[in-house]
Amino acid sequence: MTNPVNVTTTLTLRIPGKKRNVEDTKKRDKVFKIIGLIVTYVLLVLFALLILVPFYYMIVASMMTEDEVREGILFPTTDIFSNLVDNYSRTINNPSFQYFDLVLNTLIVALSTTCFGLIITILTAFAFSRLQFKGRDLLFTIFLATMMIPGEMMVITNYTTMSNLNLITLNQSRMEAYLVMILPFLVSVFYIYLLRQTFKQIPNELYLAAKVDGKSDWSYLWKVMVPLASPTLITIFILNLIGGWNAYVWPKTAVLNSDYYPISVALRSAALQKEVMPDVYETQSSWQMAATVLTVLPLLILFIIFRKYIMRGVGRAGIKG
Amino acid sequence: METKNNWKAWLYLAPALILMALFTFYPLINTLLVSFLKNYNYVSGASEGFTFENFGIVLGITPIQTGGTPVYVTNFIRYALPNTLIITFVTVPISIILALFIAILINSIKVLRGLFQTIFFLPYVTNVIAVGMVFSLIFSTSGVFNSLFNLRIDWIGYGSNRVTALFILCIYIIWTQLPYKILIFLSGLQGIDKQYYDAAKLDGASKLKTTFKITMPLLSPQILYIMITSFISAFKEYNAVVGLFNRSYTGSPNTPDLYTVVYYIYDQLGTNNNNVSYASAGAVVLFAIILVFTLLQMWASKKRVHY
């Protein structure tokens, strides 16, 4: 047995030919690291500003007078509060932008699509993840393949079908307009795929245990699987709702009665005009910005509340619209 | 157990299958069929047999006979297709590189990381039409952008130049496309094992070298996925055009020089034209382009993507 040696000598490494030692190099690295960090933050702040400027201007312009908007200034100089009251009150009650009617139309369509769609998604994902039947994998592959096909292929025939069923007419009823908007979007293959992945992670033992207890597939699905998959279900619900709120192309094509427009369609076609002289009308950009704030605000509130669900869901490979 | 489940499984599938038969599978086959039918009337379902004429007319090869004089309709080939290709080949590479850069920046910091992540995700949850209108106001002749830089350029207004209009359109599309890509890249970056970076550090590799030799190859599945999905969505661009311009032309409605492929399809379908056959042919062309591009990218990346 030898005694442990106590090393107390400090080593100073010298790089041959150069006049730097380890201490100097360490210091230099630290300085570089700090500079790098500063550059990183400066770049990030710059990019973030570019992302935020449109939001800032949208909100600020809705609190300006029309003259200020036309001057192209970034900061209002008049009383923001009275401008805000004026612009928003004129926008909300404008004949071409009946805000509360539009919200009602949009919410009814988006919520029906989302709720009925979610039930269909749950049933289908359950069949694809837990049940055994002939041709399961082939059918699932066919489902997935439809995601590759541009929606325009379907839209054309859906338009002619609906129009032959007299659902697309100039005097559409409320029910007809809503049906036309809801029906083609009830099934979403992407959400079926997302939920199937979640269902598959639930251990098979639970299913077998439920079988031993004499539980039917139906009650196992609703009592065990749905509660366990609730985070994914919330994500699907929110993403679907956002998609419904932002729907533009199909309603624009298929809803001819402007009383039943969803909000995006009305926003783009609204004539927010002021009578500046007798029989002379001018579009008010400040009112338009108030209308865009009113359209975007519910989404931003939803985003703030459900930020984690939305970002996690999209991060797991999401799609838009 | 398997046989017992059999018919029950189809009951679970029934709602989705019925709806998809009606609104996905039947329309798909029907649209394909209609694109090959001569003088198709969708109300009566009547047609005069099979033809390639619709494609010829859409692509500006076959003339339409109106009162004895042949007219070539070239809106698709002169405006819709070139614009779509410009949008795709400008916005897709720029937004991917920018998103990758921002994602790497965000991934390298610890303080305020959540805040930056949220800010860069914001455009995803907003309405493309609404923010398009904001951009349209910012870039109007007397708008903020011009007054900030003391310019008087008509970027996107009536009678503006097609080049400047497309330029602003591309900027707007990049703005809308960034958040999704940043999020996907970030979740990919977070999945990379720290060991690789420690090993590189021991070997004395520079930051730039680490990025190109370690980060990029390990991120290649995400990059491929983003490339394919963003090519598809760029080819289908429509909402940004409506949000920004609310019309399909810069000067006169007779020269729709701001058309995109999808804009063309919806214009043909809408109440003004009602040319279901041309809309169908346009959609089939779009489908073919997307299919070819997707397969090409998958084939080209086979050797470069590390799973």
Side-chain angles (χ1 to χ4, degrees), chain A residues 37 39-41 43-45 47-48 50-55 57-58 61 69-74 120 123-124 126-128 130-135 139 142-143 146 148-164 183-184 186-187 189-190 192 207-208 211 217-219 221 239 242 245-246 248-250 252-253 256 263-264 267-269 285-286 288-289 292 295-296 299-300 303 307 310-312 314-321, chain B residues 1-2 4-6 8-13 15-17 19-20 22-28 30-32 34 40 42-44 98 101-102 105-106 108-114 116-138 142-144 147-148 175-176 178-180 183-184 187 225 229 232 236 238-239 242-246 262 265-266 269-271 274 276 279-280 283-284 286-287 290-291 294-295:
Chain A
L37 218 55
V39 172
T40 306
Y41 276 101
L43 282 174
L44 277 176
V45 168
F47 281 124
L50 288 180
I51 294 289
L52 289 176
V53 158
F55 290 109
Y57 189 65
M58 169 175 79
V69 175
R70 282 181 198 181
E71 273 173 48
I73 52 175
L74 267 174
I120 294 169
L123 294 179
T124 317
F126 179 65
F128 276 130
R130 255 311 151 253
L131 303 179
Q132 305 284 335
F133 59 94
K134 247 184 200 161
L139 191 65
I142 294 172
F143 267 48
T146 61
M148 278 263 300
I149 299 156
E152 285 68 32
M153 291 286 286
M154 289 79 163
V155 165
I156 295 166
T157 299
N158 284 342
Y159 177 82
T160 58
T161 312
M162 297 282 192
S163 128
N164 286 339
L183 280 177
L186 283 175
V187 182
V189 175
F190 176 71
I192 292 173
Y207 182 60
L208 298 174
K211 281 271 153 189
D217 282 344
W218 182 255
S219 68
L221 168 62
L239 288 180
I242 292 175
W245 183 270
N246 287 336
Y248 179 81
V249 176
W250 175 248
K252 166 83 182 157
T253 318
L256 304 182
I263 198 156
S264 305
L267 173 72
R268 191 63 273 200
S269 61
S285 301
S286 52
Q288 248 182 6
M289 288 303 107
T292 56
T295 308
V296 170
L299 290 172
L300 291 183
F303 174 60
R307 193 172 61 93
I310 295 172
M311 289 178 70
R312 196 190 303 145
V314 177
R316 279 168 54 190
I319 44 165
K320 189 167 187 177
Chain B
M1 196 169 86
E2 284 188 16
K4 209 178 123 199
N5 268 337
N6 224 321
K8 273 189 183 165
W10 291 103
L11 272 186
Y12 282 93
L13 285 173
L17 280 179
L19 282 165
M20 278 185 82
L22 285 172
F23 298 111
T24 307
F25 297 124
Y26 160 69
L28 185 64
N30 189 60
T31 304
L32 201 64
V34 167
Y40 171 74
Y42 71 83
V43 180
S44 63
L98 214 55
F101 183 58
I102 293 172
L105 286 183
I106 295 177
S108 70
I109 61 168
K110 286 195 183 73
V111 185
L112 295 179
R113 186 188 176 135
F116 279 116
Q117 252 178 311
T118 308
I119 290 175
F120 284 109
F121 189 69
L122 263 185
Y124 186 87
V125 278
T126 50
N127 188 304
V128 178
I129 304 286
V131 183
M133 288 165 73
V134 180
F135 266 75
S136 156
L137 187 59
I138 289 175
S142 60
V144 180
S147 75
L148 266 184
W175 187 88
T176 59
L178 275 179
Y180 177 60
L183 191 74
I184 297 288
S187 60
Y225 170 78
T229 51
I232 294 176
K236 287 165 47 171
Y238 171 76
N239 278 6
V242 175
L244 198 57
F245 307 116
N246 202 18
V262 173
I265 294 169
Y266 282 111
L269 187 65
T271 34
N274 236 334
V276 175
S280 304
V284 172
L286 174 70
F287 181 29
I290 286 177
L291 198 67
T294 309
L295 293 178

Side-chain angles (χ1 to χ4, degrees), chain B residues 54-222:
Chain B
N54 297 325
F55 292 96
I57 291 167
V58 167
L59 296 173
I61 306 163
T62 318
I64 304 175
Q65 303 290 341
T66 43
T69 46
V71 180
Y72 291 92
V73 183
T74 51
N75 290 339
F76 185 88
I77 206 76
R78 277 183 65 190
Y79 305 120
L81 197 58
N83 286 350
T84 307
L85 289 174
I86 291 169
I87 288 169
T88 307
F89 287 104
V90 171
T91 65
V92 172
I94 293 180
S95 62
I96 287 181
I97 292 168
L98 214 55
L100 200 54
F101 183 58
I102 293 172
I104 290 173
L105 286 183
I106 295 177
N107 198 45
S108 70
I109 61 168
K110 286 195 183 73
V111 185
L112 295 179
R113 186 188 176 135
L115 178 74
F116 279 116
Q117 252 178 311
T118 308
I119 290 175
F120 284 109
F121 189 69
L122 263 185
Y124 186 87
V125 278
T126 50
N127 188 304
V128 178
I129 304 286
V131 183
M133 288 165 73
V134 180
F135 266 75
S136 156
L137 187 59
I138 289 175
F139 288 102
S140 62
T141 316
S142 60
V144 180
F145 188 81
N146 273 347
S147 75
L148 266 184
F149 297 96
N150 242 329
L151 301 166
R152 293 305 285 168
I153 301 168
D154 186 6
W155 295 96
I156 52 170
Y158 290 89
S160 66
N161 187 313
R162 184 184 175 194
V163 177
T164 59
L166 283 180
F167 176 68
I168 303 297
L169 179 66
C170 285
I171 290 180
Y172 179 44
I173 292 172
I174 292 170
W175 187 88
T176 59
Q177 297 290 315
L178 275 179
Y180 177 60
K181 298 188 171 93
I182 293 174
L183 191 74
I184 297 288
F185 287 147
L186 258 179
S187 60
L189 285 172
Q190 279 153 9
I192 296 176
D193 200 328
K194 291 281 173 295
Q195 283 179 11
Y196 294 112
Y197 292 108
D198 293 340
K201 221 179 198 172
L202 278 180
D203 287 347
S206 70
K207 260 212 161 121
L208 212 64
K209 206 169 181 182
T210 322
T211 306
F212 281 101
K213 296 276 174 191
I214 294 178
T215 312
M216 299 294 225
L218 287 172
L219 210 58
S220 52
Q222 276 83 10

